[in-house]
Amino acid sequence: MINFRKLSVLLIVLLTASGIASAISFNRIIYPIKTKDASGDILVQKQPPARIISIDPAITEILIDLNLKDRIVGLTENCNYPDDAKNIAKVGKDRIDINKVVELKPDLVLVNLEAQKNDMERMRRTMLPPASPEAQPAPIQVFAVDPHSLKDIYNTISVIGTVTNKEHSAYSLLQRMKRRVEWIEAKAKNEKKLKALVLVKKRPLTFAGEGTYLYDLSKIAGFINVAPRGDKYPKMKREEIEKADPDIIITSLDVARDTKNIYNDRNFRKTSAGKNKKVICIDKEIFSRPGPRVTQVLEEMATVAYGWGREIEQIKE
């Protein structure tokens, strides 16, 4: 005789287990989908993109971290990392060759809104030839992102995961990044607070302010960022810098030749950072690219400032 009570319990257990499995795995994207980009334009996709062009080095790094190398058909000459990017066809450097873009027949072009706005508008006015005799010419599908803060970078990775049908990979990448950030943030709380300035340009003297990922990273590293508020990239005069008296100055090897070039500079010589020769110079490419490697910028800020050694390797991937 069938025990319906036990059968009901068994069904509940099986359904619950199935529900847990579904919650852990990501749902497949159902096409067509519509996604708004940073310019306010709506991207309509009938299927996942098979031919992608990236016009920005940070976007390229995101795509390759999402295991999309085989779908990238075009990059700029500035997209030089990782090594996998070097052998992909190039569509220009500081200005995009629209004819080359058309020749590569992309079904998605990803751009940085602030850096490539003009190229974005040119491409959106350009028609691709029809894929078949029955099809009609269609404009190039362009999707813009606009990362400034660390939160923006996280959102950019997430939305690129959506428009490339790589949501699960994007989620995994974000979890890895956030673990590294949280580890450093927790450890830095035990260190002495240092006043800091993040120098992004020498002429005129320009610093990373609120709303930028470099400002966010300096705060996460435990520093008190003394850049003036109210502007993403505030400018400061020597007198203002000396009054703020930073304990440490962070910059890139694009802005300065080396640390000596900063602490001997008359604009910083009289600050605590200048007197104590407390300057961090970071590789220009990871410093200036709002992508996955910003965690390396954060690690370098903290390890150099606090003298951390092998313990940084404890961060779990």
Side-chain angles (χ1 to χ4, degrees), residues 88-120:
I88 297 172
K90 302 300 184 287
V91 296
K93 189 174 182 180
D94 299 321
R95 184 176 171 81
I96 301 307
D97 183 340
I98 298 292
N99 291 331
K100 184 65 176 177
V101 172
V102 171
E103 180 185 316
L104 290 171
K105 301 176 182 177
D107 42 28
L108 181 64
V109 179
L110 292 161
V111 303
N112 180 300
L113 178 63
E114 184 175 62
Q116 292 113 22
K117 188 175 182 179
N118 290 337
D119 285 320
M120 176 190 76

Side-chain angles (χ1 to χ4, degrees), residues 65 171-180 183 292 295-296 299 312-317:
D65 270 0
Y171 175 81
S172 298
L173 172 58
L174 288 170
Q175 291 303 107
R176 294 196 301 272
M177 291 176 66
K178 288 176 181 179
R179 278 198 297 271
R180 298 175 80 86
W183 190 95
T295 55
Q296 293 182 35
E299 288 170 21
I312 196 71
E313 297 173 10
Q314 296 172 21
I315 302 175
K316 302 298 182 185
E317 285 288 351

